[in-house]
Amino acid sequence: MASQASSQLHFVLFPFLIQGHIIPMIDIARLLAKQGAFVTIVTTPKNAARFQNVIERGIQSGLPIQVIEFRFPCQEVGLPEGCENWDMLPSITLVPKFFSAVEMLQLPLENLFREIQPKPSCLISDMLLPWTVSSASKFNVPRIVFHGFSGFCLSCLHSLSVSKVHESVSSDSEYF
C-alpha cells in the first residue's frame, strides 16, 4: 500500500484507547478509504485485535487501509501487562497511569511520521490526545480533532457558552 501515488491523500487516525472512541474512528477510516484516501490506523496490539475482522473485510474488499501497532508501555507506568484499553483497567485508580502510558505514545507517533510512506496528509486524533497537536505541527501536518459528542450535545454546550445562563445559578439544586 505504501506504493500508492504520492498525490493520494493519506489520513492517519489515532483514536483514544476506549471502545466508544475506537469504533467511530474505524467507521471514519472506512468512509475515508471508500472515497479513495489511504488510511493508517494507529493503535496497540490488543486494540487492533478487537477490530481486526472489520478492517480485514475492508482490506479484502479493496479499501486502502493499514493498521500500525505501537507497543503500549504498561510496565513503565505500573499498569498490569496487557492493560491497553480503558475497559481493561482493573481499578479506576489506575486512570492516571493509563493516561501517562498513552502520553508515552508521542515518540512512536513522531517516529512513524518520519518514516511512513506516503507521507501523512492529515492526522485525525482523539480529543483526549492533546499532545498530538504539537506532533502534527512538528511535521507540518494538519490535525483534525475527533470527539464523540453528538450534534445535540454540542449544540447544548454552545448554547450554554453563549447564554452563560449557568453562571447565574446560585446552588447545585437550582434549575435553569
Side-chain angles (χ1 to χ4, degrees):
M1 298 220 182
S3 64
Q4 298 287 332
S6 61
S7 64
Q8 182 181 26
L9 290 176
H10 179 192
F11 289 86
V12 175
L13 278 62
F14 194 171
F16 189 70
L17 306 176
I18 188 169
Q19 291 308 96
H21 293 230
I22 294 173
I23 293 169
M25 285 282 265
I26 298 302
D27 291 340
I28 291 169
R30 295 178 71 220
L31 289 169
L32 289 168
K34 284 180 181 178
Q35 295 302 313
F38 183 70
V39 179
T40 299
I41 301 167
V42 176
T43 192
T44 65
K46 292 216 185 267
N47 287 293
R50 287 181 163 184
F51 60 80
Q52 179 179 2
N53 291 338
V54 172
I55 295 300
E56 282 182 8
R57 281 194 307 270
I59 291 170
Q60 289 171 358
S61 73
L63 295 180
I65 300 175
Q66 70 176 349
V67 176
I68 294 184
E69 300 173 11
F70 293 157
R71 187 186 75 76
F72 196 67
C74 297
Q75 292 177 328
E76 290 89 330
V77 298
L79 288 173
E81 189 59 38
C83 193
E84 298 178 13
N85 191 294
W86 188 280
D87 68 5
M88 295 176 173
L89 293 174
S91 168
I92 198 76
T93 62
L94 295 174
V95 167
K97 291 181 179 188
F98 187 78
F99 272 97
S100 293
V102 169
E103 286 182 22
M104 293 174 75
L105 297 178
Q106 183 171 6
L107 182 59
L109 178 68
E110 291 180 2
N111 288 338
L112 174 70
F113 271 51
R114 282 184 192 90
E115 300 166 5
I116 196 166
Q117 293 295 326
K119 293 294 183 192
S121 308
C122 182
L123 171 64
I124 302 175
S125 61
D126 200 280
M127 67 180 208
L128 296 174
L129 304 171
W131 48 265
T132 59
V133 173
S134 64
S135 294
S137 178
K138 187 183 289 188
F139 294 92
N140 201 28
V141 173
R143 184 243 188 185
I144 297 174
V145 65
F146 166 81
H147 57 79
F149 292 142
S150 68
F152 177 72
C153 179
L154 289 173
S155 177
C156 290
L157 291 171
H158 175 72
S159 293
L160 282 171
S161 174
V162 169
S163 73
K164 302 194 184 311
V165 67
H166 61 288
E167 293 177 3
S168 63
V169 176
S170 60
S171 76
D172 288 342
S173 60
E174 182 181 342
Y175 289 104
F176 65 93

